[in-house]
Amino acid sequence: MERIKQRYRKLVFFTWFLTLDLIMFGAFVRLTDSGLGCPDWPGCYGNVTPLGAMTDIHQASQAMPFGPVTLSKAWIEMIHRYVGALLGMLIIAIVFMAWRYRRELGRSPALAITALVAVCVQGAFGAWTVTHRLMPAVVTAHLVFGLSVLALMTWLSARERPHLALPAHAARWRPWLVVGMALLLVQITLGGWVSTNYAALACLDFPTCHGQWLPDMDFHGGFSVIRGLGELPSGEMISQNALTAIHWVHRNFAFIVLAYLGVLASRLRAEPGLRGPATLALALLAAQLFTGLTTIFFQWPLLIAVLHNGGAAGLTLACVVMLVRLSTAGRAPASAT
């Protein structure tokens, strides 16, 4: 029985680590404009690897030297798909073990099954990202579902990791943390909307935007959901005022999230069982502020932009770990040893 539990835990932890890596690599794909490196799905011009599509890739890159299709972008996109497929297979293995050994593990397989459904939806949005030509709503949904898979895998992993038992009174923080996670989800969605609309450099000054606290903005155009990349719903090119609105909302909502989660994490550090993830959340909030400002002042360097996406993923996992631990407040956690 103990051998089965150990195998299950190792599988869950490895899959969680791969999920986090895939989130980071997905940001790299998006920020290097490699999402259409292979403009079909699931293969690359009908081939399993870019090696079989060299002629098509060469012709496309010759026709548009600065376009979305190059050999390097094709490999970046296909590696992302390969890792995504591997992740799906690992989650299927987790579901199999969770169901087959549910008595030995002492847990319901429901959470593992939910993770499998989420990764299938995530895969579908990955395909639609290509077939809908990087439509902002689809790409943003792809990001959000990716972080949802990470949250579910973190939940699975946190249940298997021993931690200090929390007193019953700590449960009072649970609704506050749920509100914080809701605010974080909104901010991550806004960040995805900034990235997919290429609005990160819409304001190049701080704390003002174009030298004003309230610059000219087009909220209707900026937050119209059903439209193509770089377009308004009418088919016209998206305006600078619309891009400014996208950037301005994300920037200013960040301060609400920073203040709320900062105060909450500071309070949660007083609980010994939450000190680690709460400290991580505080560090990541500071890092997000730094990378966000650096992105503006240094005009979106790739490494900093990827780290900014990684910080959002890190905040998600820190909050999920705290929520899982708070759910055991007043009793010894099942995973404690």
Side-chain angles (χ1 to χ4, degrees):
M1 182 184 299
E2 189 59 33
R3 182 179 296 179
I4 292 172
K5 289 182 178 179
Q6 287 298 324
R7 288 178 179 174
Y8 179 75
R9 288 169 183 166
K10 288 179 180 179
L11 178 60
V12 167
F13 290 144
F14 177 75
T15 306
W16 167 83
F17 181 74
L18 187 66
T19 305
L20 180 60
D21 288 346
L22 189 61
I23 293 290
M24 296 290 287
F25 195 71
F28 181 76
V29 171
R30 186 171 66 256
L31 294 167
T32 55
D33 295 325
S34 300
L36 294 179
C38 288
D40 55 339
W41 194 92
C44 188
Y45 288 98
N47 295 274
V48 177
T49 74
L51 292 176
M54 295 291 287
T55 301
D56 296 293
I57 293 171
H58 179 71
Q59 290 176 350
S61 59
Q62 287 288 101
M64 296 180 65
F66 300 101
V69 180
T70 65
L71 183 58
S72 61
K73 290 181 179 180
W75 274 112
I76 291 171
E77 170 64 5
M78 289 306 295
I79 290 172
H80 180 61
R81 296 182 194 179
Y82 299 150
V83 178
L86 175 60
L87 175 64
M89 290 186 286
L90 288 172
I91 293 179
I92 290 173
I94 289 173
V95 171
F96 173 78
M97 287 196 69
W99 178 265
R100 173 66 178 80
Y101 301 109
R102 56 190 181 278
R103 289 188 179 87
E104 290 85 348
L105 296 172
R107 300 190 187 281
S108 166
L111 184 59
I113 294 172
T114 303
L116 178 59
V117 172
V119 82
C120 289
V121 174
Q122 168 70 352
F125 273 104
W128 294 334
T129 294
V130 178
T131 58
H132 286 75
R133 300 300 181 191
L134 304 183
M135 183 179 180
V138 175
V139 179
T140 302
H142 186 52
L143 168 66
V144 172
F145 270 102
L147 288 172
S148 299
V149 175
L150 176 64
L152 289 167
M153 288 309 309
T154 302
W155 190 352
L156 279 168
S157 301
R159 294 195 311 181
E160 302 300 324
R161 186 177 179 84
H163 62 85
L164 295 174
L166 291 168
H169 68 77
R172 74 184 188 276
W173 294 112
R174 194 184 309 165
W176 293 94
L177 184 56
V178 170
V179 172
M181 292 180 69
L183 292 173
L184 180 61
L185 175 61
V186 172
Q187 179 64 359
I188 287 172
T189 304
L190 289 171
W193 197 243
V194 168
S195 179
T196 56
N197 283 280
Y198 298 92
L201 301 181
C203 297
L204 293 176
D205 52 328
F206 182 85
T208 57
C209 179
H210 303 308
Q212 303 175 62
W213 292 106
L214 285 173
D216 293 332
M217 292 179 279
D218 176 12
F219 290 99
H220 180 265
F223 291 95
S224 295
V225 176
I226 308 301
R227 57 178 174 79
L229 177 63
E231 298 178 352
L232 295 173
S234 63
E236 300 175 57
M237 182 179 294
I238 192 168
S239 66
Q240 180 62 37
N241 286 349
L243 295 176
T244 299
I246 295 170
H247 180 108
W248 186 88
V249 171
H250 176 61
R251 176 192 289 192
N252 287 280
F253 195 78
F255 291 109
I256 297 174
V257 177
L258 183 68
Y260 186 94
L261 286 181
V263 172
L264 181 60
S266 297
R267 300 294 297 273
L268 291 178
R269 286 191 75 252
E271 301 290 346
L274 299 177
R275 186 166 297 154
T279 302
L280 175 62
L282 286 172
L284 288 171
L285 286 170
Q288 285 297 86
L289 179 62
F290 173 77
T291 55
L293 294 177
T294 304
T295 296
I296 296 171
F297 294 138
F298 292 95
Q299 300 189 14
W300 214 22
L302 178 60
L303 176 60
I304 298 299
V306 171
L307 290 175
H308 194 62
N309 280 261
L315 282 169
T316 299
L317 67 88
C319 288
V320 170
V321 169
M322 288 190 286
L323 187 62
V324 172
R325 293 186 181 183
L326 283 171
S327 69
T328 68
R331 64 181 189 274
S335 57
T337 58

